[in-house]
Amino acid sequence: MLGECHAHIIMNGKNYKEAVALHKDGVREEVIRAHFRTWKETGITFVRDGGDALGVSRRAKALALEYGIDYRTPIFAIHKKGHYGGIVGHAFSDLKEYHSLVLRAKKEGADFIKIMISGIMSFDAFGVLTEEGLPEHEIHEMIRIAHGEGMAVMAHGNGDRQVRAAIEAGLDTLEHGNYLEQDTLDQLARSRTIWIPTLSPTGNLLGCGRFPDAQVRRILERQMEGISYAFEKGAVIGLGSDSGAYLVPHGQGLLDEYEWMIKAVGKDREAALQKRLEEAENRIKKEMKQ
């Protein structure tokens, strides 16, 4: 079975605050083990995590081989103070502090660096992000610094401007990537950047009643159109469900993601899609390991 290229072991797919609260007085190893058992039962043997601020993914890395799982983690994500990202990592106020966090992650055993360059989608309104995101020059410097320390970079990014800057800077993997324009998708296809478009956090919202289905469907269809176009252009696209996010349970989330991806590119191209997903996963395994 294909691996899970974007997961959050600290989350539970139901309630983020409750999931994090379990570890507030120290990492709860039994929670980690339960998630590993679920992945193993689903047939998932490769997991790439998004990190957290409480040491959960760091402990998970030490336990993963007991379950026959190849587990990669940035230990924690890095975001700029006052911007989105506090739920999964630590903040910097200037590039000197950012560099220190890169070195800290590396020292603590990070397999790659994860950076946050934008906000998330507002599911109440099509085309709206929760924040504008970081300036282009800062995105370039963040990637340059991490690469200079010999670390590959995973970037949480939505919005055309931020993503274009990251690709220009040599980003290794793009996570989410909603609302990309055709020129940026062309740029992505020409680059070495791997795209993990995470359809499940949007698609699995349909019918839940939390957000207007009409808006959710528009967001989903826009992302699926982008995937289809980028796939046709030759972009390397990987499979990652954002498991642990709301309504994206560990294990099942990846099965859902695969089905959404087939819908995006077309059932007649499933064999070609699987080959492309395998290519992405193999590159991640090779390039995102300390």
Side-chain angles (χ1 to χ4, degrees):
M1 182 174 177
L2 288 162
E4 172 63 90
C5 291
H6 189 122
H8 293 281
I9 202 165
I10 195 172
M11 302 182 192
N12 63 11
K14 300 175 183 177
N15 187 304
Y16 166 75
K17 290 183 179 179
E18 289 180 2
V20 171
L22 292 174
H23 305 282
K24 66 179 182 179
D25 296 320
V27 175
R28 294 274 296 275
E29 191 172 292
E30 69 273 20
V31 176
I32 295 172
R33 291 184 179 278
H35 294 329
F36 275 136
R37 286 194 296 270
T38 297
W39 279 322
K40 185 176 181 179
E41 290 164 2
T42 311
I44 297 169
T45 58
F46 176 72
V47 175
R48 187 178 63 141
D49 202 88
D52 63 88
L54 298 178
V56 178
S57 63
R58 182 172 61 218
R59 181 59 185 149
K61 184 177 179 179
L63 299 173
L65 288 181
E66 293 183 30
Y67 298 86
I69 292 176
D70 180 353
Y71 178 86
R72 311 290 174 86
T73 176
I75 306 297
F76 53 83
I78 304 175
H79 68 283
K80 190 172 184 180
K81 288 180 181 177
H83 291 263
Y84 177 77
I87 66 171
V88 287
H90 301 300
F92 68 93
S93 58
D94 56 39
L95 289 172
K96 182 178 180 180
E97 285 187 1
Y98 168 77
H99 197 165
S100 295
L101 286 170
V102 169
L103 293 174
R104 174 181 165 184
K106 187 175 179 180
K107 183 177 180 180
E108 292 184 11
D111 295 300
F112 53 92
I113 298 300
K114 181 180 179 184
I115 62 175
M116 315 294 282
I117 63 173
S118 78
I120 59 175
M121 290 176 292
S122 171
F123 291 105
D124 291 310
F126 177 80
V128 177
L129 299 177
T130 57
E131 66 166 80
E132 184 179 355
L134 303 185
E136 290 95 323
H137 73 275
E138 201 158 57
I139 294 169
H140 276 257
E141 278 300 292
M142 291 167 72
I143 294 172
R144 184 191 66 79
I145 288 168
H147 282 171
E149 294 296 340
M151 302 296 285
V153 180
M154 168 196 215
H156 161 109
N158 293 298
D160 194 71
R161 177 182 62 80
Q162 296 86 351
V163 169
R164 175 174 284 274
I167 296 170
E168 289 172 350
L171 177 66
D172 298 281
T173 71
L174 167 66
E175 317 301 306
H176 316 306
N178 288 276
Y179 301 132
L180 303 186
E181 300 296 338
Q182 190 173 106
D183 286 350
T184 300
L185 292 169
D186 288 334
Q187 178 195 33
L188 176 66
R190 293 191 301 267
S191 76
R192 62 177 302 278
T193 302
I194 298 168
W195 185 20
I196 314 294
T198 62
L199 289 165
S200 295
T202 303
N204 289 6
L205 290 174
L206 288 170
C208 79
R210 184 172 180 178
F211 301 102
D213 271 3
Q215 299 301 324
V216 172
R217 192 172 298 279
R218 285 187 70 193
I219 296 167
L220 176 65
E221 289 176 350
R222 169 66 184 271
Q223 186 75 332
M224 292 173 75
E225 289 168 2
I227 292 168
S228 179
Y229 180 85
F231 181 83
E232 193 67 37
K233 291 291 184 176
V236 181
I237 301 173
L239 192 70
S241 72
D242 207 3
S243 74
Y246 183 62
L247 297 184
V248 188
H250 297 303
Q252 182 60 45
L254 192 66
L255 302 179
D256 295 341
E257 187 70 22
Y258 186 68
E259 292 302 315
W260 285 120
M261 291 288 279
I262 291 173
K263 290 178 182 178
V265 305
K267 184 68 176 177
D268 60 319
R269 297 195 288 182
E270 182 176 2
L273 172 64
Q274 183 145 359
K275 184 177 180 180
R276 196 81 57 89
L277 298 177
E278 289 172 354
E279 177 188 349
E281 183 177 330
N282 288 335
R283 275 190 50 199
I284 288 170
K285 287 177 177 176
K286 181 180 179 180
E287 300 170 11
M288 308 194 85
K289 183 174 179 64
Q290 194 181 81

